[in-house]
Amino acid sequence: GIALESLNIYETTEPLAYYTGTKQIPQNMLILENKDTFYSMRKSLMSGNNIILGMEIGTLIYGAGKGIIRSFQDFSLCAEPYMRDNGNHIYYFGDMDYEGILIYENLAATYDKECEIKPFCQGYLRMLEKAITIGEEKLPPMKTGQNQNIGTLFWDSFSKEQMVKMQQLLNSGRYIPQEILSIT
């Protein structure tokens, strides 16, 4: 029952790990769920290619799965001024499974008063396209016990046809990892 302030301590969050290709304002910033995808896209930005799946990206943020929800708490305090500019657009990109979608929905709902975070639709659609090409049976099985109580925030960003294809895949017990997309 002792207040943290009484002990002269305070809670801290994990600092945001990010890579900035440009500090221009406004810009598109992309939060990535997984480390491999972060490093691949960072490598692309570092090589001078700032277009990722048709969108110009200025800053990549490593989300560390669910860790982004807590790390984002201090975004308004610890992010550089150009990152906090209201003209920027923030996108989220994760695995296409229930957990990945829930991470997005929780992040977007938790910080909806500070900023709007949208799904990186180009990424999800390219993942779906590639998954259909290689065959659903070659996709990894979804981890058991995933919370399937996702809302509509994610689905609202896609057409009815796209949503149905994604939901069919999820209902099959398979998922699409972000890593299905390579740097090429």
Side-chain angles (χ1 to χ4, degrees):
I2 299 174
L4 293 178
E5 299 79 30
S6 299
L7 298 173
N8 199 26
I9 61 173
Y10 54 90
E11 290 188 50
T12 60
T13 60
E14 283 297 316
L16 283 177
Y18 61 92
Y19 173 78
T20 298
T22 179
K23 293 185 178 189
Q24 79 180 33
I25 300 171
Q27 66 166 276
N28 295 318
M29 300 189 310
L30 181 58
I31 301 169
L32 299 159
E33 180 179 336
N34 299 318
K35 193 184 312 180
D36 289 339
T37 309
F38 173 81
Y39 278 109
S40 292
M41 289 190 181
R42 184 185 77 156
K43 186 175 182 179
S44 182
L45 288 182
M46 290 172 76
S47 72
N49 180 19
N50 65 344
I51 306 296
I52 298 175
L53 297 171
M55 180 184 285
E56 185 176 342
I57 302 293
T59 299
L60 298 172
I61 300 170
Y62 170 52
K66 294 176 188 169
I68 189 62
I69 296 167
R70 188 154 155 81
S71 293
F72 219 72
Q73 270 181 329
D74 290 335
F75 184 77
S76 62
L77 299 173
C78 67
E80 294 184 55
Y82 76 89
M83 293 173 72
R84 297 188 313 261
D85 189 271
N86 290 336
N88 292 337
H89 301 280
I90 303 174
Y91 297 90
Y92 182 85
F93 185 40
D95 292 335
M96 192 181 301
D97 63 357
Y98 294 112
E99 289 295 323
I101 293 170
L102 275 172
I103 292 168
Y104 162 71
E105 290 193 341
N106 288 333
L107 179 68
T110 301
Y111 300 104
D112 67 338
K113 291 183 179 34
E114 289 86 10
C115 59
E116 181 179 21
I117 303 171
K118 299 177 186 175
F120 184 56
C121 294
Q122 298 92 312
Y124 289 106
L125 295 175
R126 182 66 185 110
M127 286 169 58
L128 182 63
E129 181 184 305
K130 193 163 182 186
I132 290 169
T133 301
I134 66 168
E136 182 182 298
E137 68 282 353
K138 292 184 181 172
L139 295 173
M142 198 175 307
K143 294 174 190 143
T144 57
Q146 285 196 15
N147 181 350
Q148 298 182 16
N149 296 321
I150 56 178
T152 61
L153 191 58
F154 180 79
W155 302 124
D156 289 345
S157 297
F158 299 93
S159 72
K160 178 78 171 163
E161 181 183 321
Q162 294 164 340
M163 179 187 74
V164 167
K165 285 180 184 178
M166 288 184 226
Q167 288 177 337
Q168 285 173 338
L169 180 106
L170 294 176
N171 291 335
S172 77
R174 303 282 180 173
Y175 82 102
I176 309 173
Q178 269 188 315
E179 293 82 3
I180 196 170
L181 301 179
S182 66
I183 194 167
T184 56

